[in-house]
Amino acid sequence: MSDALLVFDLGGTNLRAGAFAPKTGQLLNTARTSSDEVRGVADGAAALEAVLADLGGQVLNRQPAAVGMAVPGPVQDGVASRLPSLFGPAYKGGLDFEALGRRLWDRPTFACNDLTAAGHGLVAAGHRDFGVLTLGSGVGGKLFVGGRPLLGRAGFGGEIGHWRVPGAPPVACDCGGSGHLSALASGRGIVRLARWRAERDPKGFKASALAV
């Protein structure tokens, strides 16, 4: 068994894996694939498990000391109830990432929200009171006070991407709602907003720089 940790960053755009050496604080190997491999398939959870097994094998050819997973959604006791950026709005399953890791590698597995994971990295560097803001396939935010994340009873603390924007156009969000911050300001949302405006003003769109 290795003393390296097997770590995953599961995002709405890419699924990443790394072998992390805790003694040196370095990533020894990394691998990634597109999140499109699990989005829209009939059984997203089974597809994700297969992808994680493959990525893990690419970065570490022996059993890890432990497994860590950063998940793009609210997590409580290792379980993510909704994963719209990975599986879309229809998925309501509640995926237990810690059980998944134990099943694949038979090692202790720890899962938390991706922004919470990023914040713990800053805590390890000595920071105590701060906020983390991310802009990618979604919009996320997390506050840490005294070195601890403010999560709330259901783990939804910091899910600012699903706040409704007053007066926002009805652009679809990954979660199935509309007018959310992520639907307007994320990487995917900006594209959807541009398409929405182009459909309603095709003449203006053709005259814009985006049409070039």
Side-chain angles (χ1 to χ4, degrees):
M1 186 180 70
S2 168
D3 62 352
L5 306 179
L6 183 58
V7 294
F8 293 92
D9 177 15
L10 310 179
T13 302
N14 291 297
L15 305 172
R16 300 180 177 91
F20 180 77
K23 291 182 180 179
T24 63
Q26 294 180 320
L27 281 174
L28 306 177
N29 296 300
T30 62
R32 74 167 65 186
T33 190
S34 171
S35 299
D36 289 341
E37 290 200 28
V38 302
R39 186 179 299 107
V41 302
D43 188 346
L48 179 62
E49 184 167 341
V51 168
L52 296 186
D54 179 65
L55 289 174
Q58 290 183 46
V59 300
L60 193 64
N61 60 6
R62 53 196 183 278
Q63 193 179 36
V67 181
M69 298 187 184
V71 179
V75 178
Q76 189 172 33
D77 298 326
V79 179
S81 57
R82 298 280 305 276
L83 291 164
S85 62
L86 281 181
F87 298 150
Y91 182 79
K92 305 279 196 303
L95 182 55
D96 190 332
F97 281 90
E98 294 185 355
L100 187 157
R102 291 191 298 268
R103 184 164 62 250
L104 288 175
W105 292 282
D106 192 27
R107 300 306 301 157
T109 300
F110 307 91
C112 66
N113 171 263
D114 49 3
L115 268 78
T116 302
H120 282 306
L122 294 172
V123 171
H127 301 282
R128 305 296 293 170
D129 303 321
F130 58 89
V132 181
L133 180 66
T134 59
L135 180 61
S137 53
V139 177
K142 192 76 62 177
L143 291 176
F144 275 69
V145 176
R148 298 177 63 86
L150 303 183
L151 302 178
R153 285 179 295 178
F156 283 91
E159 293 293 322
I160 63 173
H162 302 289
W163 288 358
R164 291 187 177 275
V165 179
V171 179
C173 181
D174 281 342
C175 72
S178 65
H180 295 179
L181 184 59
S182 279
L184 305 172
S186 68
R188 292 178 187 167
I190 290 170
V191 174
R192 290 173 183 160
L193 179 60
R195 288 174 176 166
W196 184 87
R197 293 192 182 281
E199 290 172 357
R200 282 148 186 80
D201 184 11
K203 184 177 179 180
F205 177 75
K206 288 180 180 179
S208 73
L210 291 175
V212 176

